[in-house]
Amino acid sequence: MITENSDVILSVNNLTATVENTPILKGMNLEIKAGEIHAIMGPNGSGKSTFSKVLAGHPDYAVTGGAVSYLGQDLLALEPQDRARSGLFLAFQYPLEIPGVSNLDFLRVSYNSKRKHEALEELDAFDFDDLVHEKLGVVQMDAAFLSRSVNEGFSGGEKKRNEILQMAILEPKLAILDETDSGLDIDALKIVAGGVNQLSNAQNATLLITHYQRLLDYIIPDYVHVMANGRIIRTGGKDLALELEARGYDWVLEAEAV
Amino acid sequence: MSTSVQTLVNQPYKYGFITDIESDSIPAGLSEDVIRVISAKKNEPEFMLEFRLKAYRQWLKLVEPNWAEVGYPAIDYQKIVYYSAPKVSEKKKSLDEVDPTLLETFEKLGISLSEQKRLSNVAVDAIFDSVSVATTFKEKLAKDGVIFCSFSEALQEHPELIKKYLGTVVPVADNYFAALNSAVFSDGSFVFIPKGVKCPMELSTYFRINNGESGQFERTLIVAEEGASVSYLEGCTAPMYDSNQLHAAVVELVALDNAEIKYSTVQNWYAGDAEGKGGIYNFVTKRGLCQGVNSKISWTQVETGSAITWKYPSCVLVGDNSVGEFYSVALTNNRQQADTGTKMVHVGRNTRSTIISKGISAGHSENSYRGLVKIGPKAAGARNYSQCDSMLIGNQAGANTFPYIQVQNSSAKVEHEASTSKIGEDQLFYFTQRGISMEDAIAMMISGFCRDVFNQLPMEFAVEADKLLALKLEGSVG
Ligand SMILES: Nc1ncnc2c1ncn2[C@@H]1O[C@H](COP(=O)(O)OP(=O)(O)OP(=O)(O)O)[C@@H](O)[C@H]1O
Ligand SMILES: [Mg+2]
């Protein structure tokens, strides 16, 4: 349940950004409070992934204006790894393969760099192993994936599941899931959605980027935003997603004349 | 690629200091007279002088090789000083008598020669400007009949062994740099493991170049008799000079029936600065002869230093069922150039060889693997497996693979696999988005890439090698 004075986790104010001097984000505004689930929908190329990567600090994108406050700090002033360590998590639309680095090592180093940031003691290999095995259950993943190289040779759906496993271990304050549902079969979609629901609570927030209303049957959003041409052009409740599913984007685009 | 991957390299080279020590040098230049002076200074037996002069005369007729993928201005061989030794009147009996400046130098390099602080299971021969200054654990090794001493000492005390084996694996006229080395080498290490003896500890030689004008020409000879085995490691560092120094070493290994030699190198000569000024020209000939049946020679190298590396540790597999192995990590950064690989020459029956090569190129460097697998007409049942992987960091570095395969026996089996990968910006972002720093990300990826090779290093050095690579690449991305 959302209350008026929930803590603000993310506040984006008139954000603009370019890639190789081409403007992609053209004035993004968004506020996300603790306990909320937001969904962003929008046509291909409208800038959804760009928005998520700008928030995470990808070096290819240059912020040209606006401000982003995250848990009261200036997010844009933080290095990407510090954004991550303070709880900003991005599940990638296309998770990368990292040959030669085992999934387990990757998870442990990632987890411990966050612990270190929070001035907590790092977990040794044995304790971490216990933690991972517990979290595997969240996404019903086989332990065999831990000894394989990160995402190497994983199927599309397995990669997405692996992203949610990482999320389960890192317990982010703000999770941005970029099309985590695409590439998942029906059963996997339910499992992943169930995992996300398990992880969401009154202290954290989730931003879903998706093309399909179907995901929103399992993860019920508090707000649905429509993004087009680098801006959010309409915001509504979960019914907006149903309407988009039925009518497409043209009517919104026309109404907003973008 | 955007700026973040291009803020290139270098953790400052921490071994770049110069030791201020008086040296006994001869004027620059090379002639028969110079060779006679070197031989006389070292009080060598007559056969050694003849060996040197023969090599010199052959060298005059040879031309410097130019087939490698490396480029450098012509070397003026008359400008090089061919003999330079720290002024120690004679090799000291006890370490207490060794010039403290030298002990300090090695101390600073992390090589402790003092009795108390030595690595417990590693005997060290410390070579400073091509002259051996100290060898540890000699007496202990002697109890098992193992000879581990400087080359000069071996010439005085075991001339018959040197005469028997020197030049049998790398003949004096083998190649331009080997001939030069054979003519002018000043010192090096000699190891002899007698029949049936398993050397009780790791042997290691630590090479230090100090003098800015002198060339470095060491000679290493390792002989393992029937059933003997030894693991040997060499490490190398040099000060930072603006000029380039030539290092042309020769290493010969001989393994008799059922003998095994494992030779590991961690090469960290000064590589020059980010613009490519200075650094060592590392032109080295290393070859092992598996003379006996069931013998085995294994080369493991971690090459991270030098402005230019030209080096092909090889195995000549003469004995039936003998085994040759080559495990290599070659890392180049900034303006470094490496052309390195191996030759596996199968002569005997059922001989087997394995080649695992990992090249990592960052900055504007060039890194080439060059390898020959030759199966002779009598090598029935011979087998080779080669795997050559290259990894690129950034967009300016180059990697090449030149495999040469010659098969003259139809029952042989030769397999070759190659791959090229790249540490991309998106991969690095994936790490940083999970809270992992760029440095850790690169270290993890490199360590994974090199695992098959590092696993071959003696344990004490595997961790070092991992750290060394991480250091070398620090700042190469980010
Ligand atoms: N690194 C880049 N280089 C060049 N163009 C880019 C880059 N990243 C994004 N763009 C361009 O920016 C625009 C927005 O891309 P983005 O990936 O953010 O869209 P999206 O809304 O996530 O689309 P989709 O629904 O297809 O995933 C596209 O036109 C894309 O081609
Ligand atoms: Mg997208």
Side-chain angles (χ1 to χ4, degrees):
Chain A
M1 203 46 235
I2 312 145
T3 53
E4 277 300 307
N5 50 5
S6 302
D7 295 334
V8 175
I9 289 190
L10 183 78
S11 167
V12 180
N13 219 308
N14 207 21
L15 181 68
T16 56
T18 59
V19 58
E20 278 158 11
N21 298 318
T22 309
I24 308 285
L25 300 186
K26 300 173 181 169
M28 284 292 286
N29 289 294
L30 181 65
E31 184 169 283
I32 300 179
K33 291 181 180 153
E36 291 179 349
I37 295 176
H38 290 239
I40 295 184
M41 305 181 80
N44 294 132
S46 55
K48 302 180 298 295
S49 294
T50 301
F51 179 55
S52 69
K53 288 190 208 168
V54 167
L55 292 180
H58 193 293
D60 277 358
Y61 303 88
V63 173
T64 47
V68 182
S69 139
Y70 170 72
L71 299 172
Q73 341 166 50
D74 176 5
L75 181 72
L76 302 175
L78 298 178
E79 291 292 326
Q81 60 268 31
D82 292 324
R83 300 183 195 193
R85 291 168 189 167
S86 19
L88 188 143
F89 180 90
L90 171 59
F92 287 83
Q93 182 172 1
Y94 304 108
L96 274 291
E97 301 195 359
I98 317 284
V101 176
S102 84
N103 217 10
L104 185 64
D105 283 346
F106 182 80
L107 288 166
R108 192 183 61 246
V109 175
S110 169
Y111 180 76
N112 277 334
S113 58
K114 187 177 178 214
R115 299 270 298 184
K116 215 160 120 188
H117 186 75
E118 292 164 347
L120 294 170
E121 208 182 314
E122 295 178 34
L123 286 198
D124 65 25
F126 298 103
D127 289 342
F128 185 73
D129 217 47
D130 293 345
L131 175 75
V132 173
H133 279 87
E134 178 198 318
K135 299 291 185 181
L136 280 172
V138 175
V139 282
Q140 299 181 24
M141 219 164 112
D142 194 293
F145 284 98
L146 295 174
S147 51
R148 287 171 60 177
S149 293
V150 179
N151 293 329
E152 196 183 29
F154 286 26
S155 75
E158 287 164 352
K159 284 181 184 169
K160 296 298 179 77
R161 248 193 240 212
N162 202 31
E163 295 287 285
I164 305 305
L165 172 66
Q166 296 176 16
M167 175 178 160
I169 286 165
L170 294 171
E171 299 186 333
K173 277 300 254 194
L174 175 63
I176 305 168
L177 310 184
D178 191 357
E179 295 199 26
T180 299
D181 53 332
S182 32
L184 292 179
D185 64 41
I186 309 286
D187 294 333
L189 179 68
K190 282 188 201 161
I191 292 165
V192 165
V196 172
N197 284 329
Q198 262 184 68
L199 296 167
S200 97
N201 59 40
Q203 277 76 51
N204 62 22
T206 308
L207 176 60
L208 304 168
I209 294 170
T210 184
H211 285 296
Y212 304 107
Q213 140 67 24
R214 196 185 52 192
L215 174 72
L216 307 180
D217 286 341
Y218 299 104
I219 308 173
I220 315 289
D222 300 297
Y223 297 98
V224 173
H225 310 276
V226 178
M227 189 167 172
N229 195 18
R231 287 189 300 120
I232 287 176
I233 56 166
R234 180 171 292 219
T235 294
K238 66 178 189 322
D239 296 342
L240 179 56
L242 290 168
E243 203 170 348
L244 292 169
E245 176 102 328
R247 297 175 62 192
Y249 288 112
D250 282 351
W251 64 278
V252 196
L253 299 181
E254 275 158 28
E256 303 295 330
V258 285
Chain B
M1 191 162 290
S2 79
T3 48
S4 69
V5 181
Q6 286 312 324
T7 323
L8 277 162
V9 183
N10 250 354
Q11 173 76 5
Y13 184 70
K14 61 177 181 178
Y15 308 107
F17 62 90
I18 299 164
T19 306
D20 187 12
I21 191 160
E22 232 190 307
S23 64
D24 172 17
S25 311
I26 60 173
L30 185 54
S31 64
E32 290 206 4
D33 286 343
V34 166
I35 290 165
R36 286 176 202 282
V37 170
I38 294 173
S39 193
K41 272 186 181 290
K42 304 181 74 66
N43 189 31
E44 289 178 346
E46 186 60 27
F47 81 85
M48 199 61 248
L49 176 61
E50 277 161 24
F51 179 95
R52 289 176 181 280
L53 290 173
K54 186 171 154 205
Y56 175 67
R57 287 168 198 146
Q58 298 275 5
W59 178 73
L60 289 175
K61 289 185 230 152
L62 291 165
V63 285
E64 202 168 325
N66 62 0
W67 40 261
E69 287 288 299
V70 299
Y72 54 94
I75 299 170
D76 184 346
Y77 290 90
Q78 295 305 333
K79 285 224 170 100
I80 293 173
V81 172
Y82 289 90
Y83 184 82
S84 166
K87 262 202 180 138
V88 278
S89 40
E90 66 193 73
K91 181 89 188 263
K92 306 298 186 209
K93 287 276 174 297
S94 134
L95 282 166
D96 304 339
E97 296 170 54
V98 176
D99 187 330
T101 325
L102 287 178
L103 290 183
E104 245 169 64
T105 300
F106 282 98
E107 211 56 66
K108 246 166 122 174
L109 298 170
I111 311 294
S112 185
L113 301 173
S114 73
E115 301 281 339
Q116 307 82 13
K117 287 191 251 162
R118 287 174 195 166
L119 277 171
S120 56
N121 204 33
V122 182
V124 177
D125 185 21
I127 300 200
F128 188 88
D129 275 349
S130 303
V131 173
S132 172
V133 295
T135 312
T136 64
F137 290 112
K138 266 171 75 172
E139 291 78 18
K140 184 164 185 243
L141 289 165
K143 284 199 188 96
D144 289 307
V146 172
I147 303 171
F148 178 40
C149 64
S150 73
F151 204 93
S152 315
E153 220 174 320
L155 267 175
Q156 303 302 322
E157 285 164 30
H158 313 281
E160 71 296 342
L161 286 175
I162 303 286
K163 197 171 174 182
K164 182 168 173 191
Y165 290 107
L166 187 70
T168 59
V169 186
V170 180
V172 288
D174 185 80
N175 67 71
Y176 189 81
F177 297 111
L180 180 63
N181 172 287
S182 300
V184 303
F185 73 87
S186 28
D187 209 338
S189 292
F190 175 65
V191 175
F192 180 81
I193 318 288
K195 202 167 170 169
V197 171
K198 306 236 169 300
C199 187
M201 57 177 80
E202 294 279 340
L203 304 184
S204 122
T205 298
Y206 199 86
F207 294 98
R208 173 69 178 171
I209 293 179
N210 192 57
N211 190 312
E213 280 83 46
S214 66
Q216 301 294 322
F217 307 96
E218 306 96 27
R219 190 92 192 184
T220 302
L221 174 61
I222 300 179
V223 178
E225 283 195 329
E226 291 83 354
S229 69
V230 62
S231 168
Y232 178 94
L233 182 126
E234 60 173 0
C236 345
T237 59
M240 302 193 271
Y241 289 111
D242 284 348
S243 57
N244 299 101
Q245 286 93 51
L246 175 63
H247 173 255
V250 172
V251 175
E252 294 179 279
L253 313 182
V254 180
L256 303 186
D257 289 354
N258 303 302
E260 186 171 338
I261 301 175
K262 185 175 171 62
Y263 192 106
S264 315
T265 303
V266 177
Q267 187 264 108
N268 189 18
W269 296 120
Y270 178 53
D273 67 11
E275 275 71 52
K277 204 168 165 54
I280 304 289
Y281 292 166
N282 190 34
F283 301 157
V284 168
T285 305
K286 292 183 165 176
R287 195 172 306 152
L289 174 62
C290 280
Q291 191 176 312
V293 297
N294 302 318
S295 56
K296 177 175 173 183
I297 289 180
S298 176
W299 298 100
T300 304
Q301 60 172 19
V302 179
E303 301 283 322
T304 67
S306 298
I308 303 177
T309 295
W310 179 99
K311 177 180 170 191
Y312 314 90
S314 305
C315 297
V316 182
L317 306 170
V318 172
D320 289 349
N321 305 314
S322 60
V323 175
E325 293 175 341
F326 174 74
Y327 298 97
S328 170
V329 167
L331 178 148
T332 53
N333 201 348
N334 294 322
R335 304 276 168 181
Q336 279 178 280
Q337 311 172 54
D339 193 299
T340 183
T342 184
K343 285 188 257 181
M344 292 291 174
V345 181
H346 293 251
V347 180
R349 288 144 54 101
N350 297 318
T351 44
R352 278 169 294 145
S353 63
T354 304
I355 299 172
I356 308 284
S357 162
K358 307 277 179 176
I360 303 160
S361 356
H364 291 81
S365 67
E366 285 294 331
N367 200 327
S368 301
Y369 166 82
R370 189 182 301 277
L372 167 71
V373 176
K374 185 175 177 176
I375 313 276
K378 294 192 183 118
R383 273 185 295 155
N384 162 268
Y385 173 74
S386 304
Q387 186 188 329
C388 303
D389 299 322
S390 309
M391 180 177 266
L392 297 168
I393 302 178
N395 272 346
Q396 321 285 322
N400 299 297
T401 304
F402 303 102
Y404 305 93
I405 298 171
Q406 299 169 9
V407 180
Q408 295 167 0
N409 185 301
S410 57
S411 66
K413 226 171 107 185
V414 176
E415 278 176 85
H416 179 89
E417 283 178 29
S419 77
T420 302
S421 53
K422 191 166 156 65
I423 293 189
E425 185 149 6
D426 280 324
Q427 278 177 320
L428 289 169
F429 182 63
Y430 194 61
F431 279 90
T432 52
Q433 210 310 297
R434 298 299 183 250
I436 302 172
S437 69
M438 291 264 194
E439 279 74 19
D440 287 348
I442 292 189
M444 286 170 80
M445 281 191 272
I446 293 291
S447 159
F449 182 68
C450 301
R451 190 167 301 126
D452 294 346
V453 174
F454 287 173
N455 283 345
Q456 300 295 326
L457 284 174
M459 225 196 352
E460 291 89 335
F461 300 100
V463 182
E464 286 303 309
D466 227 345
K467 275 196 238 154
L468 180 61
L469 290 201
L471 263 184
K472 281 271 159 180
L473 286 169
E474 199 152 280
S476 69
V477 183

